[in-house]
């Protein structure tokens, strides 16, 4: 049996191997079977569709070099990969653990296919190449999706942190300005209040710069004041 029909005929065995491996990863210890399998079935079916699609030599070269061929099959494959990566991030998987799942999926499929002792076919090498190219493309999209979501979360955290720091910093700056007026301070105490005020202004500038940075990262743009 050729590789693509084998995957369709033994999907459950492959998914069971995927689930067994996922349970060895720490965040998966408390997850149920449905969550562990996640988008695995969609990934497998999309991989088979991708393998069975008719491609030109140029499209195969693009895929082998990490470029999507733009076909509906490729789009479905990428969508499943991206959703799986975001789901794993939400479950606490790190990037290394996400990649290890794809390595285990690849190894499970090839191992089970070899154990089935398929009749030799002159297209077997091409089938294996197509399978590996599809898995590589899926993995690449998963990694991009995972890192993009991590970056977005970090930028959002920085934006919220910067915004929330403004209130206590404003209170510090205002107190430092009012202190000399409300109390009779000696020269040394006045100097201390002045240093607090200057430091608050410097911190305010740093927070403003950080907010400008997060605006550009989150799509709000860099505020520009012509002068």
């Amino acid at each position: 049996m050729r590789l693509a029909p084998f995957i369709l005929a033994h999907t459950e065995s492959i998914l069971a191997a995927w689930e067994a491996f996922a349970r060895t990863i720490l965040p998966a210890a408390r997850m149920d079977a449905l969550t562990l399998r996640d988008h695995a079935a969609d990934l497998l079916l999309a991989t088979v569709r991708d393998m069975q699609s008719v491609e030109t030599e140029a499209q195969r070269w693009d895929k082998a070099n990490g470029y999507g061929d733009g076909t509906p099959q490729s789009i479905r494959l990428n969508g499943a990969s991206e959703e799986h990566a975001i789901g794993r991030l939400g479950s606490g998987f790190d990037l290394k653990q996400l990649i290890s799942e794809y390595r285990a999926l690849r190894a499970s499929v090839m191992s089970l296919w070899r154990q089935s002792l398929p009749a030799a076919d002159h297209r077997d090498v091409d089938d294996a190449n197509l399978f590996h190219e599809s898995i590589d493309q899926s993995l690449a999209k998963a990694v991009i999706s995972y890192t993009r979501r991590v970056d977005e979360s970090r930028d959002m955290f920085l934006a919220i942190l910067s915004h929330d720091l403004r209130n206590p910093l404003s209170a510090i700056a205002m107190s430092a300005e009012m202190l000399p007026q409300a109390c009779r301070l000696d020269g040394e105490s006045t100097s201390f209040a002045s240093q607090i005020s200057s430091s608050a202004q410097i911190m305010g500038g740093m927070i403003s710069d950080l907010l400008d940075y997060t605006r550009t990262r989150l799509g709000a743009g860099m505020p520009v004041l012509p002068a």
Side-chain angles (χ1 to χ4, degrees), residues 114-219:
R114 185 181 68 250
Q115 292 172 18
S116 70
L117 301 176
D121 190 298
H122 69 279
R123 295 165 293 185
D124 285 345
V125 173
D126 289 337
D127 288 347
N129 286 336
L130 287 171
F131 171 74
H132 290 305
E133 287 168 0
S134 293
I135 293 296
D136 288 342
Q137 185 183 15
S138 178
L139 174 58
K141 290 297 181 180
V143 170
I144 291 173
S145 178
Y146 184 100
T147 54
R148 181 185 296 121
R149 181 58 63 92
V150 170
D151 289 343
E152 290 173 354
S153 299
R154 182 192 62 240
D155 293 336
M156 183 63 69
F157 170 77
L158 289 175
I160 295 172
L161 176 64
S162 301
H163 186 272
D164 289 349
L165 282 175
R166 282 182 142 179
N167 289 334
L169 183 61
S170 296
I172 294 172
M174 185 176 297
S175 298
E177 291 289 338
M178 295 297 297
L179 192 59
Q181 303 177 31
C183 307
R184 292 180 177 273
L185 301 180
D186 55 28
E188 186 177 15
S189 297
T190 301
S191 176
F192 289 157
S194 177
Q195 290 178 17
I196 293 173
S197 180
S198 298
S199 297
Q201 291 179 6
I202 294 173
M203 289 181 64
M206 295 170 64
I207 290 175
S208 294
D209 291 343
L210 187 56
L211 282 171
D212 289 345
Y213 166 77
T214 56
R215 288 191 188 103
T216 61
R217 296 283 295 177
L218 296 174

